[in-house]
Amino acid sequence: MAEPAQGSEPIRVPDHDLDDLVSTVAKLVTESRKQGETLARLTDDEGIRAEHGDNEGPVAASAAAEPGGSQEAPASIFILALAGPAYVEELAALTSWVHDLLLPVYGREITTGRPWCEQWQEHPEAVARLHGLWLAWQQLTDVEAGLVGPSTWHRDHLDPTLLQLRTPEGPFGACTTSPARPNHRLLASPEPAGA
C-alpha cells in the first residue's frame, strides 16, 4: 500500500461502511479465484491439445478454414470452443445437469407441440443452448447473485431457451415424428488416447 503523503492524514473508513467494504473485497477475491480456476483449466486444455497434437476444436477449425483465420483455439469456456478431452468432460457435466436437474424439474410432457429429443447431445444447437443455460444457472444461483438471481435465470435464460428448443420449428421438431432424423450428429469425435 502507498504511504500517505507527508502532512496528510490517513484515510479512516467509518465503521458502518466496513461491512460493505468486507463484502466487496470478499466478492472480488471469489471472482479472482474463479477467474484463476478458469485460466488454469484453459491452460491445462491447451497443454493437453498441444501434447496430443490436437489444436482444433469445432470453432477453431472453422476459423482456420477462413482466409486469414487463426489456428489458435479461442480462450472461452463455451462448449463449442472446446475439443478433445475438454469437450468430453464438459459435455458429461452438462449431461448430468440436464438429466439430474433440468429435465426432472422443467421437462414437462413431450408432444409434437413441445418436442424433446432423448439424443439431444447430437443436436449442436441444443448442446450450445443448454450449455449457455447451464453456465447462466451456475452464475445466477450462486450466493453472489443475490436474492433475485434465480428469478432472473428463469426469466432471462430458462424460458427463452426452452421456448427455442421445444418449439415445433426448433432443433427437436422432427424428432417426435422421425427419431432417425438426419440432424443427429455428434459435435466432436475425440481421438482415442495415444492416437
Side-chain angles (χ1 to χ4, degrees):
M1 274 174 83
E3 301 246 342
Q6 287 187 354
S8 66
E9 304 244 347
I11 297 173
R12 171 85 176 126
V13 176
D15 290 341
H16 64 277
D17 288 344
L18 285 179
D19 289 338
D20 290 339
L21 184 60
V22 168
S23 174
T24 300
V25 169
K27 286 179 183 177
L28 290 171
V29 167
T30 301
E31 187 61 32
S32 177
R33 180 184 49 77
K34 286 180 181 178
Q35 290 175 349
E37 290 170 358
T38 300
L39 181 59
R41 189 171 84 183
L42 290 171
T43 302
D44 288 347
D45 292 346
E46 288 298 318
I48 290 169
R49 275 189 256 176
E51 194 174 292
H52 295 288
D54 177 16
N55 291 326
E56 295 187 8
V59 174
S62 65
E66 295 173 10
S70 167
Q71 289 204 355
E72 191 173 305
S76 173
I77 60 170
F78 188 51
I79 197 163
L80 296 183
L82 304 177
Y87 175 81
V88 171
E89 185 179 315
E90 194 73 1
L91 184 61
L94 174 62
T95 299
S96 293
W97 179 78
V98 168
H99 289 228
D100 296 341
L101 180 96
L102 185 70
L103 291 178
V105 177
Y106 303 101
R108 298 188 185 172
E109 183 180 6
I110 298 171
T111 66
T112 55
R114 243 190 347 241
W116 181 262
C117 181
E118 293 297 323
Q119 299 171 342
W120 62 266
Q121 298 97 330
E122 296 181 15
H123 293 271
E125 179 183 354
V127 170
R129 288 183 183 276
L130 289 169
H131 190 255
L133 182 64
W134 180 46
L135 292 175
W137 178 82
Q138 291 177 72
Q139 182 173 355
L140 292 171
T141 59
D142 188 87
V143 172
E144 293 180 10
L147 299 176
V148 298
S151 176
T152 301
W153 178 76
H154 282 92
R155 182 195 67 213
D156 293 350
H157 302 281
L158 176 69
D159 294 343
T161 299
L162 289 182
L163 184 63
Q164 289 297 314
L165 288 176
R166 298 200 65 187
T167 182
E169 296 81 30
F172 307 143
C175 292
T176 307
T177 56
S178 174
R181 182 179 181 186
N183 283 341
H184 285 177
R185 67 186 192 289
L186 295 175
L187 274 178
S189 32
E191 304 221 359

